[in-house]
Amino acid sequence: GAVVSQHPSWVICKSGTSVKIECRSLDFQATTMFWYRQFPKQSLMLMATSNEGSKATYEQGVEKDKFLINHASLTLSTLTVTSAHPEDSSFYICSAVSGTSGNYNEQFFGPGTRLTVL
Amino acid sequence: TQLLEQSPQFLSIQEGENLTVYCNSSSVFSSLQWYRQEPGEGPVLLVTVVTGGEVKKLKRLTFQFGDARKDSSLHITAAQPGDTGLYLCAGRDYKLSFGAGTTVTVRA
């Protein structure tokens, strides 16, 4: 089956620093990747849609200058949390849609990255 | 405001009992999905329902999509401790919108 990986699986950083999270589709090409954020005991909230070779589309209320998304290849999207603050501490999850299937119902999720900002 | 309302929020039952989780919305979706998520992991797709009135069975799990494609239910028969987890419904229009989730705990 299709596998999506994330790196790192967890990260602790100091307030004011930037953190980069990688999302990779391991055995398929993903023209579209999604970034979600999940706070404890809450559901997944879509942050942005990342399309290969173009600018990401951000959901309302998500600061594009704070959450930088780059989708430079068909297998890799990165999310950079800039000038992180404790309120950015969360579980960040990516998902990918296979470019060949074109079926958006086939959305494969990564294992998530736990970010803790001190 | 959550587009999809799930109920109950928490459910704790004894092994062998049955349970039903509901997912309701005022919006019509082209499809609806159910996921299960373990702590510290990403959600795993259980099923996708597309047609109004559709019923899908996955071993002890039965999924139903409402006739109007606005609501869905997940029924687990003879629950086992391995069924413990966060169950999320997600509706698709131009994007996937998740419900708040139902935390299911099955006690041995």
Side-chain angles (χ1 to χ4, degrees):
Chain A
V3 178
V4 175
S5 70
Q6 284 184 237
H7 178 80
S9 55
W10 58 270
V11 56
I12 300 173
C13 69
K14 291 183 178 180
S15 184
T17 61
S18 295
V19 174
K20 180 185 285 188
I21 302 171
E22 294 184 348
C23 176
R24 294 183 184 272
S25 55
L26 298 185
D27 49 3
F28 66 100
Q29 293 185 331
T31 53
T32 303
M33 289 184 171
F34 302 90
W35 286 96
Y36 294 84
R37 182 166 52 182
Q38 185 178 32
F39 291 106
K41 307 295 184 184
Q42 295 186 25
S43 188
L44 282 75
M45 298 300 295
L46 180 65
M47 298 175 66
T49 301
S50 169
N51 293 298
E52 186 268 336
S54 63
K55 290 183 178 180
T57 302
Y58 290 81
E59 294 299 301
Q60 190 174 7
V62 179
E63 299 175 58
K64 61 180 182 180
D65 294 329
K66 180 170 181 64
F67 299 98
L68 301 178
I69 292 173
N70 184 285
H71 193 160
S73 78
L74 286 172
T75 60
L76 173 65
S77 175
T78 60
L79 168 67
T80 301
V81 183
T82 62
S83 187
H85 291 285
E87 56 266 31
D88 298 323
S89 297
S90 187
F91 194 50
Y92 291 86
I93 305 173
C94 73
S95 69
V97 174
S98 170
T100 54
S101 76
N103 182 355
Y104 275 54
N105 279 328
E106 291 187 314
Q107 192 173 156
F108 305 100
F109 284 83
T113 296
R114 171 75 59 194
L115 169 63
T116 302
V117 185
L118 302 177
Chain B
T1 303
Q2 206 82 36
L3 194 61
L4 286 156
E5 299 289 337
Q6 281 189 243
S7 61
Q9 188 176 359
F10 300 98
L11 195 54
S12 180
I13 61 171
Q14 200 70 34
E15 181 177 5
E17 295 181 339
N18 302 332
L19 69 95
T20 302
V21 177
Y22 299 93
C23 177
N24 295 292
S25 175
S26 57
S27 301
V28 176
F29 295 102
S30 59
S31 65
L32 193 139
Q33 298 180 315
W34 284 93
Y35 293 81
R36 190 173 86 184
Q37 184 180 21
E38 303 283 348
E41 298 181 12
V44 176
L45 179 65
L46 297 174
V47 77
T48 300
V49 285
V50 178
T51 307
E54 182 176 3
V55 177
K56 280 192 175 179
K57 291 192 174 184
L58 186 65
K59 295 184 180 178
R60 294 176 294 99
L61 278 61
T62 302
F63 305 86
Q64 187 161 8
F65 201 13
D67 291 341
R69 306 210 316 274
K70 294 182 179 181
D71 53 86
S72 180
S73 64
L74 156 62
H75 183 80
I76 301 180
T77 304
Q80 300 176 359
D83 296 326
T84 293
L86 176 66
Y87 288 83
L88 297 158
C89 67
R92 175 170 302 289
D93 39 36
Y94 71 95
K95 63 178 182 179
L96 201 58
S97 299
F98 283 85
T102 296
T103 300
V104 172
T105 303
V106 182
R107 305 184 304 274

